[in-house]
mmCIF file of all heavy atoms in Angstrom:
data_model
loop_
_atom_site.group_PDB
_atom_site.id
_atom_site.type_symbol
_atom_site.label_atom_id
_atom_site.label_comp_id
_atom_site.label_asym_id
_atom_site.label_seq_id
_atom_site.Cartn_x
_atom_site.Cartn_y
_atom_site.Cartn_z
ATOM 1 N N GLN B 329 146.554 80.804 121.885
ATOM 2 C CA GLN B 329 147.999 80.794 121.814
ATOM 3 C C GLN B 329 148.494 81.519 120.543
ATOM 4 O O GLN B 329 149.465 82.245 120.555
ATOM 5 C CB GLN B 329 148.520 79.352 121.831
ATOM 6 C CG GLN B 329 150.036 79.240 121.933
ATOM 7 C CD GLN B 329 150.562 79.844 123.240
ATOM 8 O OE1 GLN B 329 150.093 79.549 124.334
ATOM 9 N NE2 GLN B 329 151.547 80.760 123.112
ATOM 10 N N ILE B 330 147.785 81.317 119.438
ATOM 11 C CA ILE B 330 148.175 81.974 118.194
ATOM 12 C C ILE B 330 148.108 83.497 118.352
ATOM 13 O O ILE B 330 148.994 84.216 117.919
ATOM 14 C CB ILE B 330 147.255 81.516 117.028
ATOM 15 C CG1 ILE B 330 147.516 80.037 116.721
ATOM 16 C CG2 ILE B 330 147.485 82.379 115.786
ATOM 17 C CD1 ILE B 330 146.504 79.436 115.743
ATOM 18 N N VAL B 331 147.038 83.952 118.999
ATOM 19 C CA VAL B 331 146.893 85.402 119.202
ATOM 20 C C VAL B 331 147.982 85.914 120.109
ATOM 21 O O VAL B 331 148.566 86.982 119.882
ATOM 22 C CB VAL B 331 145.487 85.740 119.782
ATOM 23 C CG1 VAL B 331 145.388 87.200 120.155
ATOM 24 C CG2 VAL B 331 144.412 85.381 118.770
ATOM 25 N N VAL B 332 148.325 85.150 121.156
ATOM 26 C CA VAL B 332 149.394 85.555 122.064
ATOM 27 C C VAL B 332 150.699 85.691 121.287
ATOM 28 O O VAL B 332 151.419 86.692 121.410
ATOM 29 C CB VAL B 332 149.539 84.524 123.203
ATOM 30 C CG1 VAL B 332 150.823 84.815 124.011
ATOM 31 C CG2 VAL B 332 148.324 84.583 124.118
ATOM 32 N N TRP B 333 151.006 84.701 120.460
ATOM 33 C CA TRP B 333 152.250 84.743 119.676
ATOM 34 C C TRP B 333 152.229 85.929 118.694
ATOM 35 O O TRP B 333 153.215 86.604 118.529
ATOM 36 C CB TRP B 333 152.449 83.427 118.910
ATOM 37 C CG TRP B 333 153.037 82.350 119.778
ATOM 38 C CD1 TRP B 333 153.856 82.522 120.860
ATOM 39 C CD2 TRP B 333 152.856 80.945 119.625
ATOM 40 N NE1 TRP B 333 154.173 81.295 121.402
ATOM 41 C CE2 TRP B 333 153.575 80.306 120.673
ATOM 42 C CE3 TRP B 333 152.132 80.132 118.738
ATOM 43 C CZ2 TRP B 333 153.609 78.926 120.811
ATOM 44 C CZ3 TRP B 333 152.180 78.760 118.885
ATOM 45 C CH2 TRP B 333 152.904 78.150 119.916
ATOM 46 N N THR B 334 151.079 86.108 118.054
ATOM 47 C CA THR B 334 150.985 87.209 117.095
ATOM 48 C C THR B 334 151.233 88.547 117.807
ATOM 49 O O THR B 334 151.928 89.423 117.286
ATOM 50 C CB THR B 334 149.580 87.260 116.463
ATOM 51 O OG1 THR B 334 149.285 85.972 115.952
ATOM 52 C CG2 THR B 334 149.511 88.287 115.344
ATOM 53 N N ALA B 335 150.715 88.656 119.021
ATOM 54 C CA ALA B 335 150.817 89.915 119.767
ATOM 55 C C ALA B 335 152.260 90.183 120.198
ATOM 56 O O ALA B 335 152.664 91.320 120.342
ATOM 57 C CB ALA B 335 149.894 89.902 120.978
ATOM 58 N N GLN B 336 153.056 89.086 120.384
ATOM 59 C CA GLN B 336 154.434 89.304 120.835
ATOM 60 C C GLN B 336 155.285 89.930 119.745
ATOM 61 O O GLN B 336 156.267 90.584 120.031
ATOM 62 C CB GLN B 336 155.020 87.978 121.335
ATOM 63 C CG GLN B 336 154.481 87.659 122.721
ATOM 64 C CD GLN B 336 154.774 86.275 123.180
ATOM 65 O OE1 GLN B 336 155.104 85.399 122.384
ATOM 66 N NE2 GLN B 336 154.664 86.050 124.479
ATOM 67 N N GLY B 337 154.892 89.703 118.487
ATOM 68 C CA GLY B 337 155.390 90.581 117.433
ATOM 69 C C GLY B 337 156.753 90.313 116.852
ATOM 70 O O GLY B 337 157.079 90.830 115.811
ATOM 71 N N THR B 338 157.614 89.517 117.499
ATOM 72 C CA THR B 338 158.924 89.254 116.895
ATOM 73 C C THR B 338 158.738 88.323 115.702
ATOM 74 O O THR B 338 157.722 87.617 115.594
ATOM 75 C CB THR B 338 159.875 88.588 117.890
ATOM 76 O OG1 THR B 338 159.396 87.265 118.154
ATOM 77 C CG2 THR B 338 159.954 89.383 119.182
ATOM 78 N N ALA B 339 159.740 88.293 114.826
ATOM 79 C CA ALA B 339 159.654 87.471 113.626
ATOM 80 C C ALA B 339 159.477 85.987 113.995
ATOM 81 O O ALA B 339 158.671 85.262 113.378
ATOM 82 C CB ALA B 339 160.896 87.666 112.765
ATOM 83 N N ASP B 340 160.223 85.548 115.005
ATOM 84 C CA ASP B 340 160.143 84.146 115.437
ATOM 85 C C ASP B 340 158.732 83.807 115.895
ATOM 86 O O ASP B 340 158.156 82.778 115.554
ATOM 87 C CB ASP B 340 161.124 83.873 116.565
ATOM 88 C CG ASP B 340 162.529 83.661 116.015
ATOM 89 O OD1 ASP B 340 162.652 83.605 114.786
ATOM 90 O OD2 ASP B 340 163.476 83.579 116.819
ATOM 91 N N HIS B 341 158.174 84.704 116.709
ATOM 92 C CA HIS B 341 156.831 84.460 117.220
ATOM 93 C C HIS B 341 155.790 84.461 116.116
ATOM 94 O O HIS B 341 154.863 83.675 116.118
ATOM 95 C CB HIS B 341 156.475 85.515 118.282
ATOM 96 C CG HIS B 341 157.085 85.219 119.617
ATOM 97 N ND1 HIS B 341 157.947 86.098 120.240
ATOM 98 C CD2 HIS B 341 157.002 84.143 120.418
ATOM 99 C CE1 HIS B 341 158.342 85.573 121.374
ATOM 100 N NE2 HIS B 341 157.788 84.384 121.532
ATOM 101 N N ARG B 342 155.988 85.382 115.165
ATOM 102 C CA ARG B 342 155.048 85.440 114.025
ATOM 103 C C ARG B 342 155.059 84.131 113.253
ATOM 104 O O ARG B 342 154.020 83.625 112.868
ATOM 105 C CB ARG B 342 155.434 86.584 113.110
ATOM 106 C CG ARG B 342 154.730 87.855 113.475
ATOM 107 C CD ARG B 342 154.893 88.918 112.424
ATOM 108 N NE ARG B 342 154.406 90.173 112.911
ATOM 109 C CZ ARG B 342 153.098 90.440 113.052
ATOM 110 N NH1 ARG B 342 152.207 89.563 112.657
ATOM 111 N NH2 ARG B 342 152.706 91.583 113.554
ATOM 112 N N LEU B 343 156.267 83.618 113.029
ATOM 113 C CA LEU B 343 156.390 82.378 112.294
ATOM 114 C C LEU B 343 155.739 81.234 113.056
ATOM 115 O O LEU B 343 155.059 80.384 112.483
ATOM 116 C CB LEU B 343 157.870 82.091 112.037
ATOM 117 C CG LEU B 343 158.146 81.205 110.817
ATOM 118 C CD1 LEU B 343 157.569 81.833 109.571
ATOM 119 C CD2 LEU B 343 159.651 80.966 110.667
ATOM 120 N N LEU B 344 155.948 81.253 114.359
ATOM 121 C CA LEU B 344 155.340 80.243 115.216
ATOM 122 C C LEU B 344 153.819 80.349 115.110
ATOM 123 O O LEU B 344 153.105 79.340 114.952
ATOM 124 C CB LEU B 344 155.785 80.507 116.668
ATOM 125 C CG LEU B 344 155.867 79.322 117.620
ATOM 126 C CD1 LEU B 344 156.676 78.183 117.040
ATOM 127 C CD2 LEU B 344 156.522 79.776 118.939
ATOM 128 N N ALA B 345 153.308 81.586 115.168
ATOM 129 C CA ALA B 345 151.856 81.807 115.069
ATOM 130 C C ALA B 345 151.353 81.303 113.725
ATOM 131 O O ALA B 345 150.294 80.668 113.638
ATOM 132 C CB ALA B 345 151.556 83.289 115.227
ATOM 133 N N THR B 346 152.090 81.602 112.681
ATOM 134 C CA THR B 346 151.695 81.195 111.334
ATOM 135 C C THR B 346 151.616 79.684 111.195
ATOM 136 O O THR B 346 150.629 79.140 110.691
ATOM 137 C CB THR B 346 152.711 81.758 110.317
ATOM 138 O OG1 THR B 346 152.837 83.142 110.516
ATOM 139 C CG2 THR B 346 152.263 81.487 108.930
#
Side-chain angles (χ1 to χ4, degrees):
Chain B
Q329 188 62 51
I330 292 171
V331 173
V332 169
W333 280 331
T334 308
Q336 283 168 342
T338 68
D340 280 353
H341 281 121
R342 269 191 189 286
L343 205 57
L344 208 51
T346 306

